[in-house]
Amino acid sequence: MSNIILRPEWHLPERQVTPEPAYRNRRQFLREFGFTGSGLLAGAALLERDAWAADAKKLYPAQRNIAFSPPDLKLSDEKVFISYNNFYEFSTSKESVVERVDKFITAPWPVKIHGLCEKPLTIDAQELAAEFPLEERVYRFRCVEAWGAVVPWTGFELRKLLERVQPKAGAKFVKFVTAMKPEQMPGLARLRGYPWPYTEGLRMEEAMHPLTILATGVYGKPLPKQNGAPIRVVVPWKYGYKSGKSLVSIELTDQQPKTLWETLSPEEYPFESNVDPAVPHPRWSQATERQVDTGDRIRTLPLNGYAAQVGELYKKKG
Ligand SMILES: Nc1nc2c(c(=O)[nH]1)N[C@H]1C(S)=C(S)[C@@H](COP(=O)(O)O)O[C@H]1N2
Ligand SMILES: [Mo]
């Protein structure tokens, strides 16, 4: 069978000891192979997935960038954070998401970066993670539902990828579209009225800000499926729903994207959605937040504690 003959191909020497051209060729091979979706190759695809998983692990843990990781922040408990999820494609119950992700296949995973740019690109998420040096950053995370956490993400600045595709002058927004795979995501069938796929967006200046990252890992490991494997955006000064999980498309556009939450309820989930303790949600206060692991209630900070870095973006003009 072809998969037996091909198997050694996927167990080539590790990335570190493979000459770069050979490594790239294998990537190219895996990409074409993986994305054909041919039934003949289904068994081989399983083996391929193992190899991708093994490759992914080599990138973690990444070195912490202390300039973006305040020493006074104490990490939330890993087990609690990775099993308390908002991921409606799987379940609306935060405790149940983790139990419903087993059918979700996250490698190979093409991501399209396109729209108003000179050099559009489709690249596998894991290849992306190998392309840009990964680093760890300890960020505050604040859900609009008034819970929060302190999370060590692994990833790279979104602006590095955007610079790579060379945005055109007309690009004013970045639109993020996340996966919609009904056979793999049992929550979709229960929320048929929602405007799937889950879509989010940022203004160009927000997307280009050094705090905005694409995360491929968390707690020193590849992202668990329930946290948005294989790649998600993280925008730490905005409510959590701006941070789309399991991205399939990043598009530069001149139009403000219609987001899922804004479409459903614009008063509750406006496009900008900066964390602001002074502006209550129509149904609850945003002044404080419950820490997800300890249950402690702490005061929410303007721009989630990132006012010094991003406040400038929101200064009203004269
Ligand atoms: N595709 C997708 N992305 C999503 C969501 C979702 O339901 N689907 N939920 C958002 C919300 S409301 C939050 S708070 C965070 C939760 O991320 P976490 O589970 O990693 O903590 O993911 C955001 N990204
Ligand atoms: Mo959220």
Side-chain angles (χ1 to χ4, degrees), residues 86 141-145 147 239-241:
N86 269 330
F141 186 82
R142 173 59 156 84
C143 174
V144 72
E145 298 163 332
W147 56 267
Y239 289 120
Y241 59 88

Short mmCIF file of all heavy atoms in Angstrom, two decimals, residues 86 141-145 147 239-241, ligand 2:
data_model
loop_
_atom_site.label_atom_id
_atom_site.label_comp_id
_atom_site.label_asym_id
_atom_site.label_seq_id
_atom_site.Cartn_x
_atom_site.Cartn_y
_atom_site.Cartn_z
N ASN A 86 -15.05 29.33 25.44
CA ASN A 86 -16.11 29.80 24.56
C ASN A 86 -15.73 29.42 23.14
O ASN A 86 -14.74 29.92 22.60
CB ASN A 86 -16.27 31.33 24.67
CG ASN A 86 -17.28 31.72 25.72
OD1 ASN A 86 -18.23 30.97 25.98
ND2 ASN A 86 -17.11 32.88 26.33
N PHE A 141 -6.38 38.31 29.73
CA PHE A 141 -7.45 37.93 28.80
C PHE A 141 -8.77 38.27 29.49
O PHE A 141 -8.99 37.92 30.64
CB PHE A 141 -7.36 36.43 28.50
CG PHE A 141 -8.32 35.98 27.43
CD1 PHE A 141 -8.00 36.13 26.09
CD2 PHE A 141 -9.54 35.41 27.77
CE1 PHE A 141 -8.90 35.73 25.11
CE2 PHE A 141 -10.43 35.00 26.79
CZ PHE A 141 -10.11 35.15 25.46
N ARG A 142 -9.67 38.96 28.78
CA ARG A 142 -10.92 39.40 29.41
C ARG A 142 -12.09 39.11 28.49
O ARG A 142 -12.22 39.68 27.41
CB ARG A 142 -10.80 40.90 29.71
CG ARG A 142 -12.04 41.61 30.22
CD ARG A 142 -12.56 41.02 31.53
NE ARG A 142 -13.35 42.00 32.27
CZ ARG A 142 -14.65 42.25 32.07
NH1 ARG A 142 -15.32 41.62 31.12
NH2 ARG A 142 -15.27 43.14 32.83
N CYS A 143 -12.95 38.19 28.92
CA CYS A 143 -14.18 37.90 28.17
C CYS A 143 -15.23 38.94 28.51
O CYS A 143 -15.29 39.44 29.63
CB CYS A 143 -14.68 36.50 28.51
SG CYS A 143 -16.29 36.11 27.75
N VAL A 144 -16.08 39.23 27.56
CA VAL A 144 -17.17 40.20 27.75
C VAL A 144 -18.12 39.75 28.86
O VAL A 144 -18.83 40.55 29.45
CB VAL A 144 -17.91 40.43 26.40
CG1 VAL A 144 -18.76 39.22 26.01
CG2 VAL A 144 -18.77 41.70 26.43
N GLU A 145 -18.11 38.44 29.16
CA GLU A 145 -18.99 37.91 30.20
C GLU A 145 -18.46 38.15 31.61
O GLU A 145 -18.95 37.55 32.57
CB GLU A 145 -19.16 36.39 30.01
CG GLU A 145 -19.80 36.02 28.70
CD GLU A 145 -19.59 34.56 28.33
OE1 GLU A 145 -18.57 33.96 28.75
OE2 GLU A 145 -20.43 34.01 27.60
N TRP A 147 -15.44 37.50 32.97
CA TRP A 147 -14.41 36.64 33.57
C TRP A 147 -13.09 36.93 32.88
O TRP A 147 -13.06 37.41 31.73
CB TRP A 147 -14.78 35.15 33.54
CG TRP A 147 -15.10 34.56 32.19
CD1 TRP A 147 -16.32 34.44 31.61
CD2 TRP A 147 -14.17 34.02 31.22
NE1 TRP A 147 -16.22 33.86 30.38
CE2 TRP A 147 -14.92 33.58 30.11
CE3 TRP A 147 -12.77 33.84 31.22
CZ2 TRP A 147 -14.32 32.99 28.99
CZ3 TRP A 147 -12.19 33.26 30.08
CH2 TRP A 147 -12.96 32.84 29.00
N TYR A 239 -12.35 42.71 24.20
CA TYR A 239 -13.07 41.55 24.74
C TYR A 239 -12.73 40.31 23.93
O TYR A 239 -12.46 40.37 22.71
CB TYR A 239 -14.57 41.83 24.77
CG TYR A 239 -14.93 42.85 25.83
CD1 TYR A 239 -15.56 44.06 25.50
CD2 TYR A 239 -14.63 42.61 27.17
CE1 TYR A 239 -15.86 45.01 26.48
CE2 TYR A 239 -14.93 43.55 28.15
CZ TYR A 239 -15.54 44.75 27.81
OH TYR A 239 -15.83 45.67 28.78
N GLY A 240 -12.77 39.17 24.62
CA GLY A 240 -12.28 37.91 24.07
C GLY A 240 -12.88 37.53 22.73
O GLY A 240 -12.22 36.87 21.92
N TYR A 241 -14.12 37.94 22.47
CA TYR A 241 -14.74 37.49 21.22
C TYR A 241 -14.08 38.09 19.98
O TYR A 241 -14.29 37.59 18.87
CB TYR A 241 -16.26 37.72 21.22
CG TYR A 241 -16.72 39.15 21.38
CD1 TYR A 241 -16.88 39.98 20.29
CD2 TYR A 241 -17.02 39.65 22.64
CE1 TYR A 241 -17.32 41.28 20.44
CE2 TYR A 241 -17.48 40.95 22.81
CZ TYR A 241 -17.63 41.76 21.72
OH TYR A 241 -18.06 43.04 21.89
MO MO B 2 -15.99 35.92 25.38
#
